[in-house]
């Protein structure tokens, strides 16, 4: 969370006072990474306890979890026709009122180039997207974003957008972030454990 906050001040500050003209330095990030790597969590029922100084930012994962709870509720109530938009990066889809699949459109950010898009039918699934369409900055010929690699604190973006579809909306949000950082290699590895579809705009 603390590392992400530094990158957000550079990429898309909430106000002018938080603005940073240059990317955070290694000297700034290294102590925060050390704090993160020496922090752990314990779970006891509904209680989560943090051990260490690392700051936790659940970000889109909380949205995905909320969508999972909504899906469980809909299923308990026998509801089938629904669409929940938890922000453009998180969707939960049942079927339409006509009992048909929704049409999902996935669009690549244009940046002045012709827009590219594909559509596909979707029902009873979650859709999670991670990308640079809203929070990014080009500096020194590189594109930086708010999505941070936890291994080294780097926020250079190697992809435009990653979208994941799966039956579990919480998993869709987690996987879209992981694939944004790890790309096709991560997708290939994770597909051995999880059932999901994905699109990476390179």
């Amino acid at each position: 969370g603390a590392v992400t906050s530094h990158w957000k001040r550079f990429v898309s500050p909430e106000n002018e006072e938080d603005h940073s003209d240059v990317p955070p330095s290694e000297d700034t990030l290294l102590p925060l990474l050390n704090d993160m790597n020496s922090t752990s969590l314990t779970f006891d029922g509904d209680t989560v306890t943090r051990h260490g100084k690392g700051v936790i930012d659940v970000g889109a994962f909380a949205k995905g979890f909320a969508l999972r709870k909504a899906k469980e509720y809909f299923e308990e109530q026998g509801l089938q026709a629904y669409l929940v938009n938890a922000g453009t990066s998180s969707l939960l889809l049942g079927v339409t009122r006509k009992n048909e699949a929704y049409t999902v459109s996935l669009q690549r950010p244009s940046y002045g180039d012709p827009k590219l898009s594909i559509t596909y039918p979707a029902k009873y699934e979650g859709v999670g997207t991670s990308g640079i369409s809203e929070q990014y900055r080009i500096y020194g010929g590189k594109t930086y974003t708010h999505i941070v690699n936890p291994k080294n604190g780097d926020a250079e973006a190697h992809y435009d957008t990653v979208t994941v579809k799966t039956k579990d909306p919480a998993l869709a949000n987690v996987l879209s972030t992981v694939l944004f950082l790890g790309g096709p290699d991560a997708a290939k590895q994770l597909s051995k454990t999880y059932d999901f579809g994905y699109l990476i705009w390179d």
Side-chain angles (χ1 to χ4, degrees):
V3 176
T4 303
S5 295
H6 276 278
W7 279 109
K8 284 185 175 181
R9 282 196 279 275
F10 172 67
V11 172
S12 57
E14 292 185 9
N15 56 62
E16 194 60 34
E17 294 177 1
D18 286 338
H19 178 72
S20 174
D21 289 325
V22 296
S25 67
E26 184 176 323
D27 290 341
T28 299
L29 297 177
L30 189 56
L32 300 175
L33 287 170
N34 289 337
D35 285 345
M36 181 188 74
N37 289 326
S38 61
T39 298
S40 62
L41 303 174
T42 56
F43 300 85
D44 182 12
D46 292 334
T47 302
V48 181
T49 304
R50 179 186 67 171
H51 307 279
K53 297 188 296 183
V55 178
I56 300 168
D57 180 356
V58 295
F61 304 150
K63 289 192 293 185
F65 180 76
L67 290 179
R68 176 195 282 173
K69 300 303 285 186
K71 182 180 180 183
E72 291 172 357
Y73 175 76
F74 295 155
E75 290 174 349
E76 289 171 3
Q77 300 302 313
L79 298 174
Q80 296 180 318
Y82 56 83
L83 183 156
V84 182
N85 182 344
T88 55
S89 63
S90 306
L91 298 173
L92 174 62
L93 306 169
V95 293
T96 69
R97 291 180 181 177
K98 296 181 179 180
N99 200 34
E100 297 174 346
Y102 285 97
T103 298
V104 176
S105 176
L106 305 178
Q107 191 170 77
R108 177 185 178 269
S110 63
Y111 310 115
D113 298 328
K115 288 191 175 183
L116 303 172
S117 65
I118 66 167
T119 60
Y120 77 94
K123 59 182 180 179
Y124 304 122
E125 67 183 29
V127 181
T129 298
S130 294
I132 62 174
S133 61
E134 295 182 11
Q135 298 186 67
Y136 77 98
R137 182 173 176 185
I138 298 173
Y139 181 89
K142 295 181 179 180
T143 301
Y144 296 95
T145 184
H146 63 296
I147 301 172
V148 178
N149 187 329
K151 293 181 179 179
N152 57 20
D154 184 37
E156 182 181 354
H158 300 286
Y159 306 101
D160 283 346
T161 304
V162 176
T163 298
V164 169
K165 65 169 191 164
T166 181
K167 297 298 182 185
D168 183 349
L171 187 59
N173 280 272
V174 173
L175 289 177
S176 68
T177 301
V178 174
L179 299 194
F180 186 84
L181 294 170
D185 290 341
K188 183 178 180 181
Q189 185 66 30
L190 288 164
S191 66
K192 297 175 182 177
T193 305
Y194 303 105
D195 182 19
F196 63 94
Y198 68 96
L199 172 70
I200 298 176
W201 290 115
D202 197 343

